[in-house]
Amino acid sequence: MPQSSVSTGAKPRKVPRILILGGGTVGLYSAQRLRRRLGHREAAIVVVDPRPYMTYAPFLPEAAAGSIDARHVVAPHVRALKGVDVLQGKVSEIKHADRTVQITPEEGEPYWVTYDHLIVGLGSVARTLPIPGLAEEAIGFKNVEEAIAVRNHVLGRIDLASSTWDADLRKRMLTFTFVGGGFAGVEAIAEVEDMARDAIKQYASLEESDLRFVLVEGSRRILPEVSEELGGYTLEQLRKRGIEVFLSTFLNSCVDGHVVLSDGTEFDSETIVWTAGVKANPVLANSDLPLDRMGRVTALATLQIADETGNIVPDAYAAGDCAAVPDLYNPGAFCPPNAQHALRQAKHLADNLALVLRSAQPTEYKHKNVGAVASLGMYKGVAQMFGKIKVRGFFAWVLHRTYHVMAMPTWNRKINIMAGWTANLLWRREVVPLGSIHDPRAEFRAASVPPKPKAEPAADHSPVPSTEAKAPATA
């Protein structure tokens, strides 16, 4: 294929440096694979990410529900990336023509890093809309910190509502709204609702009927990743549990927690969770790499970055949510942004780069979807395997857990997750709210404020009335 001319500004090195932007699924798995394929004398590998760990996103709903310890859904880079250098900071600018990337650490001045080969695995961020009140009221569901926040917030509302006598305020506290009916939204509301019903049994002043869960979806169905039959089954199961599902409906406003839907429905809710889609990392707009209209890096099936005419950008590769990779099994379409593709693309990309460094030809990535699995709470789930086999209920829930625990990086995390599941079977899950962890210094700040000095009574300088003047006149 034709190649575009890109000048190189970096000085030649004895060992080529591979710079991997993003330490998520693509970054972690491609770095691991490259380290196994290439010796230290063949390549130096550097991963850049603002967080010191990879988050396994499919387990976020179970982390939010307390079925999995939140620490166990992340893989620390320091343990998972042996033999790989990790730089903690945000990518703020990419100048591939000069083979340089600017990194902004959490503390300190930005700096530039040079490289010979680039892998773009920056992933995605929540796709938000200019809805009044959304930025001020909603919680996202893209990372483990947000999953913990949702868990603590929901349990905290239940705890507060148990001591609240105002009926309207209690109703507002116990109304939980989730926006987005894809995998993330459906699994999140199902798992959290399951947890909330378990938690509310501990409060004598509350009933399960006090809880209100609402799911808002803009399209005509939920779970578009599976067949309409399974999507319909899931909808039926959610509604049987009392979850209100609004289809073909949009969130118009949520100012001060007052939710207004496009069909005219209005209610108050202190919990609004946004799971309505993702978009490519916006930092890509601050680069000289070719992007499509959705802001994704354009790539070939070989995972090499290329412009819209097919001209390859030398020494640059991309995969995962931030890349528009052709789906060879569905001509004209792109691989969907999910963990299944990201993981496999990462490994294939690493293999291709290793081939190129050894003067061999890269191969095309192709992967036929093996299925989709979703958890709907404890012992409940749906699964569609190989496009034909439809599973529901307990067996689907087992398939979900088995598939994802095997995909979780490092045996340490796999064992910890399975141990936690075993403990939950023997004892009830922990449902204590720890909302103060989101601002742990709040109580200390309040205690550190010196008390206001008491105001001394003002002196009375008014003239003392004369006794003689007041004496009554005598004859």
Side-chain angles (χ1 to χ4, degrees):
M1 291 184 179
Q3 294 194 3
S4 61
S5 59
V6 179
S7 62
T8 304
K11 296 179 180 179
R13 274 178 282 270
K14 292 182 180 179
V15 177
R17 177 184 292 163
I18 301 171
L19 187 64
I20 302 174
L21 306 184
T25 302
V26 170
L28 186 138
Y29 281 100
S30 62
Q32 285 183 334
R33 189 84 158 205
L34 281 167
R35 190 73 289 164
R36 286 196 291 267
R37 291 281 186 272
L38 302 171
H40 289 273
R41 294 185 178 182
E42 293 181 277
I45 304 170
V46 181
V47 173
V48 182
D49 196 272
R51 292 185 174 88
Y53 53 78
M54 184 213 85
T55 301
Y56 190 68
F59 274 151
L60 288 181
E62 291 200 54
S67 299
I68 299 177
D69 190 315
R71 296 170 301 167
H72 299 152
V73 302
V74 299
H77 292 150
V78 69
R79 296 189 65 172
L81 295 177
K82 299 295 184 182
V84 174
D85 294 321
V86 179
L87 298 177
Q88 192 171 337
K90 289 184 177 180
V91 175
S92 46
E93 188 174 354
I94 304 170
K95 292 183 178 180
H96 186 66
D98 299 329
R99 302 297 196 276
T100 57
V101 167
Q102 188 183 54
I103 299 171
T104 303
E106 188 172 336
E107 294 187 17
E109 296 298 318
Y111 58 92
W112 292 87
V113 173
T114 61
Y115 61 86
D116 300 288
H117 303 274
L118 181 69
I119 295 176
V120 181
L122 289 168
S124 58
V125 299
R127 184 190 63 203
T128 58
L129 299 172
I131 298 172
L134 183 66
E136 295 79 11
E137 301 294 330
I139 306 172
F141 206 76
K142 273 288 293 175
N143 54 57
V144 70
E145 294 89 347
E146 290 173 332
I148 296 171
V150 169
R151 168 182 166 77
N152 285 324
H153 184 76
V154 170
L155 293 177
R157 297 305 94 186
I158 294 173
D159 206 37
L160 290 175
S162 68
S163 301
T164 301
W165 308 113
D166 185 323
D168 291 334
L169 179 57
R170 176 186 288 197
K171 186 177 181 180
R172 177 189 178 98
M173 286 179 172
L174 296 180
T175 299
F176 308 101
T177 308
F178 288 69
V179 184
F183 260 110
V186 169
E187 286 191 300
I189 194 171
E191 289 281 358
V192 171
E193 188 266 354
D194 203 42
M195 175 195 70
R197 296 205 180 278
D198 191 35
I200 208 167
K201 295 173 184 176
Q202 302 182 50
Y203 298 90
S205 60
L206 299 177
E207 301 289 340
E208 286 190 27
S209 58
D210 293 331
L211 294 172
R212 183 186 184 188
F213 280 83
V214 180
L215 178 63
V216 181
E217 167 54 36
S219 66
R220 63 179 182 83
R221 56 169 297 199
I222 60 173
L223 290 186
E225 300 89 344
V226 299
S227 67
E228 287 212 33
E229 179 186 346
L230 281 183
Y233 167 81
T234 303
L235 177 62
E236 179 185 347
Q237 294 303 306
L238 294 180
R239 284 176 168 164
K240 276 185 179 179
R241 289 159 61 173
I243 298 174
E244 301 174 40
V245 182
F246 291 84
L247 299 177
S248 302
T249 307
F250 301 92
L251 176 66
N252 281 353
S253 172
C254 58
V255 176
D256 296 328
H258 183 69
V259 175
V260 180
L261 304 183
S262 59
D263 66 352
T265 302
E266 296 188 30
F267 55 89
D268 291 327
S269 174
E270 288 196 0
T271 306
I272 300 169
V273 182
W274 180 266
T275 67
V278 297
K279 63 180 180 181
N281 195 313
V283 75
L284 292 170
N286 200 19
S287 76
D288 56 358
L289 299 172
L291 308 177
D292 68 359
R293 62 183 181 82
M294 297 176 66
R296 300 173 299 182
V297 180
T298 54
L300 304 177
T302 57
L303 303 173
Q304 295 168 291
I305 295 176
D307 62 24
E308 58 183 8
T309 61
N311 293 318
I312 295 174
V313 176
D315 309 321
Y317 303 79
D321 294 3
C322 70
V325 179
D327 187 346
L328 298 185
Y329 280 102
N330 296 286
F334 296 99
C335 295
N338 58 37
Q340 187 177 148
H341 277 290
L343 191 152
R344 288 168 173 80
Q345 286 175 3
K347 294 179 178 179
H348 194 91
L349 187 158
D351 290 341
N352 274 354
L353 180 50
L355 287 171
V356 170
L357 289 175
R358 290 168 178 167
S359 302
Q361 290 297 314
T363 61
E364 292 185 329
Y365 167 80
K366 57 170 66 176
H367 170 65
K368 193 170 185 179
N369 198 336
V370 296
V373 288
S375 172
L376 302 178
M378 290 292 284
Y379 315 120
K380 301 175 283 287
V382 291
Q384 182 170 324
M385 311 304 294
F386 308 107
K388 297 179 181 179
I389 304 172
K390 300 178 182 68
V391 187
R392 57 191 71 177
F394 177 77
F395 188 51
W397 175 77
V398 172
L399 283 174
H400 169 271
R401 287 197 159 188
T402 303
Y403 174 82
H404 285 302
V405 79
M406 295 312 297
M408 186 72 196
T410 77
W411 277 101
N412 170 278
R413 288 303 186 265
K414 297 180 200 289
I415 293 170
N416 277 323
I417 288 171
M418 290 187 285
W421 285 338
T422 304
N424 284 338
L425 292 174
L426 300 175
W427 299 281
R428 295 176 63 177
R429 64 178 137 194
E430 191 59 67
V431 287
V432 176
L434 297 173
S436 61
I437 67 171
H438 304 295
D439 188 7
R441 296 186 64 251
E443 190 171 342
F444 183 78
R445 285 197 303 268
S448 301
V449 175
K452 293 181 180 179
K454 293 183 179 180
E456 295 184 6
D460 189 358
H461 298 290
S462 58
V464 178
S466 170
T467 306
E468 295 179 358
K470 286 210 175 252
T474 57

